[in-house]
Amino acid sequence: MRICVYCASSQECDPHYHEVAFRLGALLAAGGCSVVYGGGSAGSMGAVANGALSGGGEVIGILPKFMADLEWGHPGLTRLELVEDMRERKHRLLTGSDAVIALPGGCGTLEELFEALTLKRLGLYFNPIILLNTRGFYTPLQSFMEDVIGQRFMNQEHLGMWSLVDAPEDVLPTIQATPRWREDARTIAVVRR
């Protein structure tokens, strides 16, 4: 299984986030999963890669060339693929992935997550999207999205596009238990009466 992981490069956040990212990477490797992520060496990005590598897992980084020029890439990956820009990076991360996991992060992580959710809503991505809710990080987002639905900008069915889990140990079981997204996703993409 190829798992796309969205995560942050911040080294200033609480180290607990990095510990959880490392544990997730190790669990994905133990589960026989390949990890594809943004290719960085710092913060949760480096931690998830190191966790997977420590368990003998395959780790593929997708890194824009300008980041490679800044030496932000992880030097020990199974494979580091250089791309032209951030748009191509997002496309390559998601294409062919069997699931998405979003770890806590900043605007880049959130932007990637929302693109995946949008593609799922439009019937262009059908696989599980998991939010790893370390220290309740995604709880406010969950409340916000429920309000978005309550205000009728999305349909009630759209709550099924993602799952919140509290621990890395819950990620793979949730992926395995999540059915493929509705083939008729476009029939509910638009909010109607």
Side-chain angles (χ1 to χ4, degrees), residues 5 7-12 18 21-22 37-51 53 59-64 67-77 79-80 82 89:
V5 182
C7 46
S9 61
S10 173
Q11 298 179 77
E12 297 301 316
H18 302 155
F22 185 93
Y37 83 115
S41 61
S44 294
M45 293 181 86
V48 76
N50 290 336
L53 291 167
V59 183
I60 302 158
I62 310 293
L63 192 73
M67 290 184 179
D69 293 342
L70 294 168
E71 299 183 352
W72 289 357
H74 192 299
L77 303 180
R79 190 166 71 246
L80 181 63
L82 299 182
R89 178 201 224 179

Side-chain angles (χ1 to χ4, degrees), residues 32 92 96 122 129:
R92 296 272 294 278
L122 297 173
I129 298 174

Side-chain angles (χ1 to χ4, degrees), residues 105-123:
C107 58
T109 301
L110 295 171
E111 193 255 347
E112 291 167 333
L113 170 61
F114 273 94
E115 178 166 308
L117 288 171
T118 300
L119 294 174
K120 193 163 184 177
R121 179 178 177 175
L122 297 173

Side-chain angles (χ1 to χ4, degrees), residues 160-191:
M161 293 193 307
W162 66 90
S163 300
L164 234 63
V165 300
D166 291 324
E169 292 77 13
D170 300 328
V171 169
L172 280 177
T174 302
I175 288 171
Q176 292 160 352
T178 301
R180 184 172 164 82
W181 183 239
R182 320 165 48 133
E183 293 295 331
D184 69 342
R186 292 180 187 173
T187 66
I188 62 163
V190 177
V191 179

Side-chain angles (χ1 to χ4, degrees), residues 72-154:
W72 289 357
H74 192 299
L77 303 180
T78 309
R79 190 166 71 246
L80 181 63
E81 300 176 7
L82 299 182
V83 295
E84 287 302 317
D85 54 33
M86 299 293 280
R87 288 181 184 163
E88 186 181 355
R89 178 201 224 179
K90 285 188 302 175
H91 176 73
R92 296 272 294 278
L93 285 169
L94 199 57
T95 300
S97 72
D98 297 301
V100 166
I101 304 166
L103 277 63
C107 58
T109 301
L110 295 171
E111 193 255 347
E112 291 167 333
L113 170 61
F114 273 94
E115 178 166 308
L117 288 171
T118 300
L119 294 174
K120 193 163 184 177
R121 179 178 177 175
L122 297 173
L124 298 170
Y125 187 75
F126 294 92
N127 298 323
I129 298 174
I130 310 297
L131 282 61
L132 184 50
N133 196 28
T134 306
R135 292 196 165 173
F137 183 86
Y138 282 115
T139 301
L141 179 63
Q142 178 73 18
S143 296
F144 173 73
M145 294 302 285
E146 288 171 3
D147 191 46
V148 167
I149 288 167
Q151 297 287 331
R152 302 291 293 136
F153 289 102
M154 291 170 64

Side-chain angles (χ1 to χ4, degrees), residues 4-21:
C4 171
V5 182
Y6 298 144
C7 46
S9 61
S10 173
Q11 298 179 77
E12 297 301 316
C13 64
D14 189 303
H16 180 71
Y17 291 110
H18 302 155
E19 293 162 14
V20 170

